[in-house]
């Protein structure tokens, strides 16, 4: 009987030691994760503070250019026929004839149908610096109780055929 009590006592001590080791290891892991989260929160807070400071010294942003998506401030802002344009693209807009090459109907049930047009516009600007802009026309379909949006991509008349072909390939 004395041997069984000793064996039980040894097993109990070993189990308690293992539990203590596991507890200590878990404490170290959680402590490290908590410190990482605090550092991340501090980094994010610092970045937000820096961004707010930069914006305080800047002029108020009134919109984005419909062609290049540059931020527009008061001294570099033109509003023409519901388009917001920077100085450079106001001149481009004024000097060109523009025609729509799309008229994609979207609804609240099918908003994704016009996404390819936005992606194409961004791509031709980013890759080739070809000016284009998007206008949306809204209609209410009373019979189906839907708001229809017609997404129209406008391009310079002399680039119509090329961009129409490229757009068909992107679809």
């Amino acid at each position: 009987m004395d041997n069984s009590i000793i064996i039980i006592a040894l097993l109990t001590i070993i189990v308690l030691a293992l539990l203590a080791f596991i507890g200590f290891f878990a404490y170290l892991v959680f402590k490290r994760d908590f410190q990482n989260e605090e550092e991340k929160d501090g980094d994010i807070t610092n970045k937000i503070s820096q961004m707010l400071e930069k914006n305080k010294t800047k002029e108020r942003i009134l919109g984005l250019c419909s062609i290049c998506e540059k931020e527009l401030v008061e001294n570099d802002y033109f509003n023409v026929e519901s388009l917001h344009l920077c100085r450079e693209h106001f001149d481009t807009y004024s000097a060109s004839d523009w025609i729509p090459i799309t008229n994609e109907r979207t609804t609240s049930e099918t908003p994704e149908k016009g996404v390819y047009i936005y992606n194409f516009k961004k791509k031709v600007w980013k890759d080739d610096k070809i000016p284009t802009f998007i206008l949306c026309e809204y209609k209410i379909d009373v019979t189906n109780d839907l708001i229809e949006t017609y997404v129209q991509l406008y391009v310079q008349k002399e680039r119509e055929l090329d961009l129409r072909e490229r757009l068909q390939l992107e679809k």
Side-chain angles (χ1 to χ4, degrees):
M1 190 140 175
D2 288 331
N3 285 340
S4 62
I5 292 175
I6 293 173
I7 292 174
I8 291 174
L10 283 174
L11 287 175
T12 305
I13 291 171
I14 291 172
V15 168
L16 289 175
L18 282 172
L19 287 174
F21 178 75
I22 291 171
F24 180 71
F25 182 72
Y27 168 77
L28 291 177
V29 168
F30 287 121
K31 182 179 174 184
R32 187 189 68 199
D33 286 346
F34 183 72
Q35 286 174 341
N36 287 343
E37 287 299 319
E38 284 180 344
E39 289 172 6
K40 287 178 187 174
D41 290 344
D43 288 346
I44 291 170
T45 304
N46 288 339
K47 286 179 184 177
I48 291 172
S49 298
Q50 290 170 357
M51 287 172 55
L52 290 174
E53 286 300 316
K54 285 182 186 176
N55 286 339
K56 282 182 185 176
T57 59
K58 287 185 178 179
E59 294 181 57
R60 197 172 111 230
I61 297 172
L62 301 174
L64 299 177
C65 177
S66 296
I67 293 176
C68 68
E69 298 183 4
K70 171 183 151 188
E71 293 177 347
L72 300 172
V73 294
E74 207 164 331
N75 65 353
D76 187 34
Y77 174 79
F78 296 89
N79 190 1
V80 181
E81 299 175 10
S82 75
L83 293 175
H84 306 283
L85 300 165
C86 63
R87 184 173 310 281
E88 175 187 351
H89 293 115
F90 172 74
D91 294 339
T92 303
Y93 176 79
S94 300
S96 301
D97 288 331
W98 297 90
I99 58 170
I101 62 170
T102 64
N103 196 26
E104 188 71 50
R105 178 184 176 269
T106 65
T107 65
S108 58
E109 296 170 353
T110 60
E112 70 282 351
K113 288 179 72 176
V115 172
Y116 77 95
I117 298 170
Y118 288 93
N119 291 337
F120 179 76
K121 179 205 176 309
K122 285 184 181 245
K123 184 175 191 258
V124 296
W125 178 255
K126 181 183 172 197
D127 294 348
D128 304 318
K129 297 293 185 224
I130 297 174
T132 61
F133 61 87
I134 292 175
L135 286 179
C136 294
E137 198 175 289
Y138 303 97
K139 294 181 183 174
I140 298 175
D141 180 358
V142 181
T143 56
N144 295 322
D145 194 30
L146 288 174
I147 296 176
E148 299 173 337
T149 304
Y150 291 88
V151 182
Q152 300 171 334
L153 178 67
Y154 281 78
V155 301
Q156 294 167 315
K157 193 172 186 175
E158 60 269 13
R159 296 179 185 254
E160 175 190 5
L161 294 176
D162 175 47
L163 291 176
R164 205 179 278 273
E165 288 174 9
R166 287 173 59 177
L167 182 63
Q168 289 302 317
L169 294 174
E170 294 286 322
K171 247 183 174 180

